[in-house]
Amino acid sequence: IANNPQTIVIRTSWVYSVYGNNFVKTMLRLMKDRKELNVVSDQFGSPTYAKDLAQAILQIINTEWPAMHGDECIFHFSNEGAISWYDFATAIRDIKQLDCTVHPIATIQYPTPAKRPAYSVMSKEKIKSVFKININDWLQSLEECLDKL
């Protein structure tokens, strides 16, 4: 892929939408079923609303770009801002006005088979510069998605 000048790679993180299984929909379900939840508070990243990612891809498809090779063709996309999973969960709860206590916990208290980085925020400066993409703040996009659920 990296050797094809008509190809780009878009790396993303924490993808959610009104469709499929994802963190937002899981939190909504759990918060309706339980009075308390534990959510990891020491892993930071940037959520990505699938609709925003799709719109960025459409904009890129309709943009002429110079031939790129190797690392030049790798771009990052997620919504703006850096938050923890705990911040994400409490925002979901607050926006939907759910009666659920969310407790912050350390990663070590929530073991998973896959190791997760403590900080996975990626720079989006290159995709914004090359393709002139405006990126929404994570909270704005979360509110839009939750409005549809």
Side-chain angles (χ1 to χ4, degrees):
I1 291 173
N3 292 323
N4 182 340
Q6 296 180 328
T7 300
I8 65 167
V9 174
I10 300 174
R11 297 180 68 226
T12 191
S13 61
W14 299 18
V15 179
Y16 68 94
S17 79
V18 297
Y19 305 103
N21 296 321
N22 57 71
F23 184 81
V24 172
K25 290 175 72 177
T26 299
M27 287 297 105
L28 286 174
R29 179 178 44 80
L30 292 175
M31 288 178 186
K32 289 175 183 173
D33 292 345
R34 300 181 187 175
K35 286 289 181 196
E36 295 185 20
L37 288 177
N38 295 326
V39 180
V40 172
S41 62
D42 59 356
Q43 292 178 20
F44 295 85
S46 299
T48 304
Y49 183 26
K51 178 184 172 196
D52 293 342
L53 176 59
Q55 288 174 332
I57 291 169
L58 286 172
Q59 184 172 335
I60 290 167
I61 289 169
N62 293 310
T63 301
E64 297 249 354
W65 68 79
M68 296 181 226
H69 299 281
D71 289 346
E72 291 178 332
C73 71
I74 299 172
F75 294 85
H76 301 149
F77 183 92
S78 64
N79 289 109
E80 292 288 7
I83 59 171
S84 70
W85 289 109
Y86 169 79
D87 298 327
F88 202 16
T90 57
I92 293 163
R93 178 203 59 203
D94 294 348
I95 292 166
K96 292 303 262 184
Q97 299 178 350
L98 298 171
D99 185 23
C100 181
T101 301
V102 181
H103 301 284
I105 62 168
T107 298
I108 198 163
Q109 294 173 273
Y110 189 77
T112 60
K115 293 193 183 230
R116 306 282 184 214
Y119 190 82
S120 62
V121 178
M122 302 177 290
S123 171
K124 298 167 286 277
E125 295 310 311
K126 187 166 115 178
I127 200 167
K128 291 192 293 188
S129 172
V130 172
F131 297 110
K132 310 299 182 232
I133 291 175
N134 294 316
I135 302 176
N136 292 333
D137 179 77
W138 72 269
L139 185 57
Q140 173 189 352
S141 292
L142 176 61
E143 288 171 341
E144 180 183 331
C145 179
L146 288 174
D147 190 47
K148 295 177 181 182
L149 287 171

